[in-house]
Amino acid sequence: MPPPLSAGILLYRHTGGATEVLLIHPGGPYWAKKDAGAWMIPKGGVDAGEALADAAVREFREELGSALDRPPQPLVRIKQSGGKIVEVFAAEGDFDPARLDSLHFEMEWPPRSGRMQSFPECDAARWMDLAEARRMMLKSQLPILDALEEKLSRE
């Protein structure tokens, strides 16, 4: 069986001579007390028959509550530490983290309690310069930043 496939978008902008990227903090009890090493790009599973770019745009909208205002460009394909393959697209743009409006998911919490609770897919979004992003991002997603820096150096 092939590894799970996800697609996501790295939104970036240039401010004051620096490049910043938008990262999200996943919601739910597993991530609640994790900060450094927990931030990531908005991403999620690709539905059967769905184009990778379409899945990335859909996940961006679901996790941030905002549509992407330009078409994303292919950036890199990575394999996360758990084996999941992520097709990453990049888009230059802006987003106000105060406008975060993520979809929610339900899960039994606490475990074996029989009680279902709702949690946002993403509980925070933040612009970070590349140095901060390297400290805060999931280690298995760091190659995404390398790919962005390479892309920007060619432009």
Side-chain angles (χ1 to χ4, degrees):
M1 188 157 107
L5 179 62
S6 287
I9 293 178
L10 178 62
L11 191 67
Y12 67 95
R13 68 183 183 185
H14 303 288
T15 52
T19 299
E20 294 181 326
V21 295
L22 184 75
L23 298 180
I24 63 165
H25 186 270
Y30 175 79
W31 298 101
K33 293 185 168 69
K34 294 175 173 46
D35 193 30
W39 291 75
M40 61 186 69
I41 65 168
K43 65 163 186 56
V46 178
D47 294 335
E50 187 177 30
L52 293 170
D54 292 343
V57 168
R58 175 182 51 76
E59 286 294 333
F60 185 91
R61 184 178 57 253
E62 289 176 359
E63 293 193 2
L64 296 173
S66 177
L68 192 63
D69 63 357
R70 63 186 60 191
Q73 302 302 310
L75 182 64
V76 68
R77 179 177 273 212
I78 64 165
K79 184 175 185 177
Q80 291 192 169
S81 55
K84 182 182 289 183
I85 304 296
V86 182
E87 190 72 34
V88 181
F89 296 83
E92 187 172 1
D94 204 1
F95 173 78
D96 179 359
R99 295 187 59 207
L100 177 67
D101 185 21
S102 181
L103 287 182
H104 284 66
F105 66 94
E106 285 195 351
M107 67 179 285
E108 182 181 14
W109 190 257
R112 296 176 296 285
S113 67
R115 189 168 153 225
M116 297 301 284
Q117 290 194 49
S118 178
F119 300 96
E121 286 191 28
C122 164
D123 63 17
R126 189 164 88 205
W127 286 102
M128 301 180 194
D129 64 32
L130 295 174
E132 181 183 15
R134 285 189 183 283
R135 288 190 307 275
M136 302 304 285
M137 197 173 203
L138 283 172
K139 291 200 184 319
S140 60
Q141 288 193 5
L142 290 175
I144 298 170
L145 299 179
D146 297 336
L148 178 66
E149 286 184 304
E150 184 180 322
K151 171 191 173 352
L152 295 176
S153 73
R154 291 189 313 260
E155 293 179 351

